[in-house]
């Protein structure tokens, strides 16, 4: 609990969470407002479309924030003090992941509800709110893992932006290989679970929506475990 509280204090006394939260709000609510203003016909904007800004752009920003909780300490040298105070490095990394996941999940849920309100969509879609909160929490764990493995803020930011927004959509739409590798792309599985349309075509998934989020969770877990092993083996 003391380590968790220390990580909470670190996160709440830096500017990164504030700027990241503002960026997520602008991207999420801005896209929802645009969709509401351009909608036509008697029906309202579907909740899955209203929440697209949170799922597509908001969660990657929160994922980057999670990585920065690690990389910023390496950049400033604070990580040495952290490991001196808490020699159990696995505990430190786990505490960072828990704090990042809790913040990302709760803030993503709030942004989904706000986006639904802004887009004048159906406010009773609690399944979507919960699904994006779970996705945000797992993405935060993945972000902490990537941050611990890369250690450099620029590299972590580039990787966490290019992976879901560029690399996977490109691979998933290549005509010769998309049907073969598409079902195994981690973020494509996450969007299958969310039922939010993005730049991925429909794949013949070998598992259902629940299997898709478990697959994404498995990828996040593998990266996090790899980060724990690496952090315990190398110098601070």
């Amino acid at each position: 609990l003391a380590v968790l509280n220390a990580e909470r204090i670190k996160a709440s006394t830096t500017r990164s969470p504030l700027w990241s939260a503002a960026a997520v709000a602008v991207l999420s609510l801005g896209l929802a407002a645009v969709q509401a203003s351009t909608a036509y016909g008697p029906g309202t904007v579907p909740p899955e479309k209203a929440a697209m800004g949170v799922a597509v752009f908001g969660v990657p920003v929160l994922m980057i924030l999670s990585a920065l909780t690690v990389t910023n300490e390496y950049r400033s040298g604070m990580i040495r003090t952290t490991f001196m105070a808490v020699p159990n490095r696995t505990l430190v990394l786990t505490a960072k992941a828990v704090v990042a996941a809790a913040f990302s999940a709760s803030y993503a849920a709030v942004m989904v509800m706000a986006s639904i309100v802004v887009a004048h969509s159906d406010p009773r879609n609690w399944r979507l709110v919960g699904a994006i909160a779970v996705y945000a929490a797992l993405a935060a764990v993945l972000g902490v893992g990537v941050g611990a493995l890369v250690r450099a803020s620029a590299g972590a930011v580039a990787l966490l932006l290019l992976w879901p927004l560029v690399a996977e959509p490109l691979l998933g739409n290549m005509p010769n290989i998309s049907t073969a590798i598409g079902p195994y792309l981690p973020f494509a599985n996450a969007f299958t679970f969310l039922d939010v349309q993005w730049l991925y075509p429909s794949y013949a998934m070998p598992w259902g929506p629940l299997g898709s989020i478990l697959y994404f969770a498995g990828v996040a877990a593998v990266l996090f475990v790899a980060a724990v092993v690496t952090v315990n083996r190398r110098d601070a």
Side-chain angles (χ1 to χ4, degrees), residues 141-157:
V141 174
L142 186 150
V144 171
V146 169
L149 288 170
V150 177
R151 295 202 294 184
S153 296
V157 170

Side-chain angles (χ1 to χ4, degrees), residues 51-234:
M52 184 183 294
V54 184
V56 175
F57 302 111
V59 171
V61 173
L62 295 173
M63 188 165 53
I64 289 170
L65 173 62
S66 302
L68 292 179
T69 63
V70 183
T71 60
N72 283 345
E73 287 203 41
Y74 277 103
R75 178 181 56 81
S76 64
M78 181 68 181
I79 196 70
R80 297 185 180 90
T81 304
T82 299
F83 288 155
M84 288 177 62
V86 186
N88 188 337
R89 298 184 176 190
T90 301
L91 181 60
V92 171
L93 212 59
T94 301
K96 288 182 180 295
V98 170
V99 171
F103 174 76
S104 297
S106 57
Y107 192 65
V110 171
M111 284 296 100
V112 172
M113 291 185 285
S115 298
I116 288 174
V117 171
V118 169
H120 307 292
S121 187
D122 184 2
R124 296 169 294 180
N125 199 323
W126 297 109
R127 188 267 177 195
L128 179 64
V129 175
I132 293 183
V134 170
Y135 168 47
L138 294 173
V141 174
L142 186 150
V144 171
V146 169
L149 288 170
V150 177
R151 295 202 294 184
S153 296
V157 170
L159 177 60
L160 293 173
L161 279 180
L162 293 175
W163 184 358
L165 299 179
V166 179
E168 281 202 13
L170 284 176
L171 291 173
N173 285 280
M174 285 186 175
N176 295 328
I177 63 173
S178 62
T179 56
I181 68 172
Y184 303 100
L185 297 173
F187 286 93
N189 276 272
F191 278 92
T192 298
F193 171 70
L194 300 179
D195 196 24
V196 173
Q197 188 64 37
W198 179 223
L199 297 177
Y200 302 97
S202 297
Y203 302 116
M205 293 292 189
W207 40 69
L210 180 59
S212 293
I213 196 61
L214 290 176
Y215 180 86
F216 183 77
V219 172
V222 168
L223 281 173
F224 184 75
V225 170
V228 168
V229 172
T230 303
V231 167
N232 278 285
R233 286 185 175 180
R234 69 188 176 194

